[in-house]
Amino acid sequence: MSTVTKTEVGIVDAVVHPSFPKDDDIVQYLPEAYQLRGFPGQTRYYYSRLEGEFHESAYLEDQRAGSDRQRVEEVIFAESGVGVAILLPLTRGLMADRRLGSAICTATNSWLSEEWLSGEPNRFRGSIRVDPDDVEGALVEIERWADDPRMVQIAVPLEALHPYGQPVYFPIWAAAAKNGLPVAVQSDGGAGVDYAPSGTGYPRHYIEFASLQSLRFFYHLASLITEGVFDRLPEVRFVFADGGADVLPPLMWRLDSAWRQARSQSPENRHVPSSYLAENVWFATSRLEGPTSHGLEKEWADTMRTYDHLLYGSHYPHWSFEPPDDRAMRTAPEERRRVLGGHATTLYRLSM
């Protein structure tokens, strides 16, 4: 069994996206039967940002941003002062062939273990990528890594063919709960067979896509609550890594109101929907959400009561990279410790 080094945790970065240096580098980790198959590259095909997808500090000559471990360590640990970083690699979206999707997840996990989680001391922790469209394959992959202390969560795409509370996915969440692994939900589309990024189809502009993206978490959250997943698995934890905490309260108010009027239609959901948030739901911070000034940030968060659900996430190397100093300036002083590291240390059971 692999081990992890005990360290002073301090600040925890819950969202760092490592990448293969080049698209074809994943092939060596794929089974021979899939090495000649066609599949998308790592770059989002739709709604790419004209100014560039990545932060200026992440670009390296002839390599994809976020692919050089030494550079990521410099930015996250040396320059940002992070103690532990949770790696959440992306996996190119949903494939038409679910077995290919699982093969890509398996290859990504092997690469992550070999290239990013090896060596001592190591302040990275990993995510077990699974394809929710292939439940059987997902369960095999969870079993493969569940006893490895370097892997601290399961990761699934925000894009899915059904809302995540529906019964087809329940075995995956049960395996997560059994192994004490939170489930991270992160946008991973733009290249596969996932559905349109809005409930009414494809918007024309990047600004629409970026503004509406975090709202998609609510389809999954409402489904998880009303289908009774949190009642049947009270120990399961979900982390919505694309943000959305700033719009959570008004959406929950509407869900609570509808539940009180029509609760007989969702008998599996035994309690007021908002009551599940405290124990079961977390959000990674995002530069795009909430007011940007310190005074307004505190007033907003106090009104919306979002601090109790926030984990700091830099989203490096993406263009929206937010160092912890920037987040701290936007966070009320009494809440900084919890948002920047306290919540994540407990959630991921990180070594001190």
Side-chain angles (χ1 to χ4, degrees):
M1 181 187 299
S2 300
T3 61
V4 297
T5 300
K6 290 185 179 298
T7 183
E8 184 69 27
V9 173
I11 298 173
V12 178
D13 188 341
V15 186
V16 175
H17 300 299
S19 297
F20 288 90
K22 297 181 179 179
D23 286 345
D24 289 343
D25 289 345
I26 192 176
V27 172
Q28 63 183 300
Y29 294 94
L30 288 169
E32 185 175 356
Y34 293 98
Q35 289 183 359
L36 297 180
R37 292 284 299 273
F39 49 83
Q42 299 174 90
T43 302
R44 178 183 294 278
Y45 287 1
Y46 310 124
Y47 306 111
S48 59
R49 185 170 178 266
L50 294 180
E51 295 85 352
E53 287 288 322
F54 302 105
H55 192 264
E56 58 190 20
S57 69
Y59 285 97
L60 296 172
E61 186 176 356
D62 296 328
Q63 287 193 14
R64 182 178 170 83
S67 65
D68 185 272
R69 175 172 170 173
Q70 182 177 349
R71 180 56 184 151
V72 174
E73 290 176 337
E74 289 174 355
V75 173
I76 299 300
F77 300 133
E79 298 175 13
S80 298
V82 168
V84 173
I86 312 299
L87 300 176
L88 207 170
L90 304 182
T91 50
R92 306 162 190 248
L94 296 177
M95 300 294 104
D97 180 349
R98 66 188 64 185
R99 292 170 297 181
L100 174 60
S102 280
I104 290 174
C105 288
T106 298
T108 300
N109 295 333
S110 296
W111 161 78
L112 190 70
S113 172
E114 182 178 317
E115 297 295 333
W116 291 83
L117 301 180
S118 61
E120 296 288 349
N122 196 332
R123 293 153 68 184
F124 287 126
R125 302 293 183 269
S127 305
I128 306 170
R129 294 288 337 192
V130 301
D131 184 348
D133 198 32
D134 178 16
V135 174
E136 182 179 356
L139 296 178
V140 170
E141 195 64 10
I142 293 170
E143 185 68 23
R144 178 185 176 212
W145 295 104
D147 290 333
D148 190 328
R150 303 173 304 164
M151 295 291 200
V152 297
Q153 68 182 358
I154 294 165
V156 296
L158 179 65
E159 301 78 14
L161 301 184
H162 308 282
Y164 276 148
Q166 294 194 5
V168 64
Y169 300 118
F170 187 82
I172 301 177
W173 317 145
K178 172 187 173 183
N179 291 288
L181 295 168
V183 179
V185 184
Q186 166 78 44
S187 181
D188 195 28
V193 296
D194 43 275
Y195 294 143
S198 85
T200 54
Y202 290 89
R204 290 179 56 199
H205 307 106
Y206 171 80
I207 188 172
E208 296 174 83
F209 171 83
S211 300
L212 296 172
Q213 176 174 317
S214 63
L215 289 173
R216 288 184 288 166
F217 82 85
F218 196 67
Y219 294 109
H220 292 308
L221 178 58
S223 177
L224 288 164
I225 292 172
T226 59
E227 294 276 3
V229 172
F230 296 143
D231 287 286
R232 297 174 63 188
L233 298 172
E235 65 276 31
V236 75
R237 306 288 183 265
F238 275 78
V239 177
F240 292 99
D242 283 305
D246 58 334
V247 297
L248 176 66
L251 291 172
M252 292 306 302
W253 293 337
R254 294 181 69 91
L255 188 60
D256 282 356
S257 177
W259 179 83
R260 291 186 177 97
Q261 299 176 48
R263 58 185 299 183
S264 62
Q265 295 182 14
S266 54
E268 299 89 353
N269 170 199
R270 303 188 187 99
H271 306 287
V272 176
S274 59
S275 67
Y276 298 96
L277 299 180
E279 296 296 328
N280 301 105
V281 182
W282 299 89
F283 291 84
T285 60
S286 169
R287 179 182 288 279
L288 298 178
E289 61 187 11
T292 57
S293 70
H294 170 64
L296 287 177
E297 171 79 4
K298 183 181 186 307
E299 182 179 352
W300 176 279
D302 288 346
T303 301
M304 297 299 182
R305 299 180 61 84
T306 58
Y307 284 140
D308 291 340
H309 307 285
L310 286 181
L311 312 172
Y312 163 66
S314 72
H315 298 270
Y316 188 83
H318 292 176
W319 68 270
S320 55
F321 168 59
E322 182 177 42
D325 285 349
D326 291 359
R327 171 55 52 175
M329 289 300 294
R330 297 172 52 195
T331 306
E334 64 271 18
E335 305 295 345
R336 289 176 185 172
R337 183 189 62 81
R338 293 196 295 158
V339 173
L340 292 181
H343 290 323
T345 299
T346 300
L347 179 66
Y348 294 115
R349 299 177 295 178
L350 300 176
S351 301
M352 297 295 292

